């Protein structure tokens, strides 16, 4: 039953759809499977055994630590995303870790060495992986470009629109988002202070653009953002 569960977790992901039944069953042998609770740290870039992770359920934040010990949210990982040593290189330029944001997550993982061997033996998978990582890097690059070229208010509006599009439950123009981020998390994501983020959210509430609390964000009319 456990192996069948791993099979369906992998078979369901677009990255592995080029693989045959027997190839995915072989992949199951080298795949780790883990459940984690909110607040749990599940990955460090300084690990002696580099891994690639696949998130099957929940949300995770990737936090970078600079030389002075300051922490910044680098990315929010959602269902279907890969994280860890994606470039298959172990020379980390900065320290980072992954922390669970939602009540529970389900993660599959591969030892980097095993995954490299799998890519060498499956050219179609190697091509799919290259495209998958390329698109992820492009998204990160676009995100940085937006941070440089736009003010904090515009970045907040764009972040909320993107969040609503990816995870919001829509009813007409009204969108409800499960809120698993603190105001400080949001501030770090849009590269501003917590005070500025709180002020922007308060202004949006006053202008009836959203209703915000620790558990949920309601956007009455997404077209107005």
């Amino acid at each position: 039953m456990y192996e069948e569960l791993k099979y369906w977790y992998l078979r369901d992901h677009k990255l592995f759809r080029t693989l045959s039944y027997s190839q995915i069953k072989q992949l199951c042998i080298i795949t780790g499977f883990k459940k984690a609770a909110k607040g749990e740290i599940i990955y460090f870039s300084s690990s002696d055994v580099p891994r690639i992770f696949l998130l099957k359920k929940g949300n995770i934040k990737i936090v970078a630590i600079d030389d002075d010990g300051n922490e910044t949210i680098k990315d929010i990982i959602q269902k279907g995303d890969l994280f860890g040593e994606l470039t298959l290189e172990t020379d980390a330029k900065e320290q980072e870790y992954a922390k669970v944001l939602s009540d529970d997550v389900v993660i599959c993982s591969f030892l980097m060495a095993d995954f490299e061997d799998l890519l060498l033996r499956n050219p179609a998978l190697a091509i799919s992986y290259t495209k998958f990582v390329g698109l992820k890097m492009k998204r990160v690059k676009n995100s940085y470009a937006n941070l440089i070229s736009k003010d904090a208010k515009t970045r907040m509006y764009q972040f909320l629109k993107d969040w609503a599009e990816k995870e919001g439950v829509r009813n007409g123009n009204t969108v409800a988002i499960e809120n698993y981020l603190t105001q400080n998390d949001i501030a770090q994501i849009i590269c501003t202070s917590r005070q500025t983020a709180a002020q922007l959210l308060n202004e949006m509430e006053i202008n009836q653009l959203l209703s915000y609390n620790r558990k949920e964000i309601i956007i009455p009319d997404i077209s107005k953002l």
Side-chain angles (χ1 to χ4, degrees):
M1 181 64 183
Y2 179 70
E3 290 302 318
E4 285 300 313
L5 184 62
K6 286 202 292 185
Y7 171 83
W8 287 111
Y9 274 147
L10 296 175
R11 186 71 184 88
D12 186 48
H13 197 281
K14 60 184 178 181
L15 179 62
F16 304 112
R17 287 176 185 168
T18 59
L19 299 182
S20 66
Y21 174 82
S22 60
Q23 288 172 321
I24 293 178
K25 292 296 284 185
Q26 182 181 13
L27 181 59
C28 287
I29 298 173
I30 68 169
T31 302
F33 179 81
K34 176 180 175 66
K35 292 185 177 182
K38 186 173 184 178
E40 187 173 343
I41 294 174
I42 55 174
Y43 158 75
F44 275 100
S45 59
S46 57
S47 171
D48 292 335
V49 186
R51 286 182 176 269
I52 295 169
F53 298 85
L54 167 62
L55 182 61
K56 292 301 300 179
K57 177 184 177 183
N59 298 279
I60 287 169
K61 66 179 177 181
I62 305 297
V63 179
I65 310 169
D66 65 20
D67 293 337
D68 296 322
N70 299 313
E71 298 186 350
T72 304
I73 294 180
K74 187 175 179 181
D75 199 6
I76 299 295
I77 305 299
Q78 298 167 327
K79 178 182 176 181
D81 280 347
L82 296 172
F83 63 101
E85 306 292 344
L86 296 186
T87 61
L88 305 182
E89 296 176 357
T90 55
D91 296 330
K93 276 77 86 177
E94 60 184 1
Q95 294 296 311
E96 63 181 37
Y97 66 87
K99 187 174 183 178
V100 177
L101 291 172
S102 47
D103 289 336
D104 62 283
V105 303
V106 176
I107 309 153
C108 298
S109 69
F110 317 88
L111 289 175
M112 191 172 73
D114 288 339
F115 195 66
E116 282 181 311
D117 183 60
L118 185 69
L119 294 178
L120 287 173
R121 291 185 282 108
N122 296 276
L125 177 60
I127 293 172
S128 294
Y129 181 75
T130 300
K131 290 180 178 178
F132 193 92
V133 173
L135 288 172
K136 182 176 178 66
M137 297 305 166
K138 183 178 180 180
R139 176 171 62 82
V140 172
K141 182 179 178 181
N142 289 339
S143 177
Y144 280 123
N146 287 335
L147 290 175
I148 293 171
S149 63
K150 297 176 181 177
D151 61 22
K153 183 176 181 179
T154 305
R155 296 198 302 269
M156 175 67 82
Y157 278 50
Q158 187 61 54
F159 165 71
L160 289 170
K161 283 194 287 187
D162 290 344
W163 194 7
E165 181 181 346
K166 290 178 182 177
E167 297 188 59
V169 177
R170 189 159 182 160
N171 182 10
N173 278 344
T174 300
V175 181
I177 308 170
E178 180 187 355
N179 184 19
Y180 50 80
L181 297 174
T182 65
Q183 288 186 354
N184 191 55
D185 288 337
I186 293 173
Q188 289 189 28
I189 291 169
I190 66 171
C191 289
T192 191
S193 67
R194 191 197 65 78
Q195 290 80 3
T196 298
Q199 181 182 347
L200 289 170
L201 290 168
N202 287 336
E203 287 178 359
M204 295 177 78
E205 281 205 281
I206 291 170
N207 294 326
Q208 299 183 340
L209 293 174
L210 60 72
S211 174
Y212 174 93
N213 61 57
R214 292 183 179 181
K215 293 186 176 181
E216 188 177 47
I217 297 173
I218 303 293
I219 301 173
D221 189 346
I222 191 67
S223 66
K224 291 183 179 181
L225 289 188

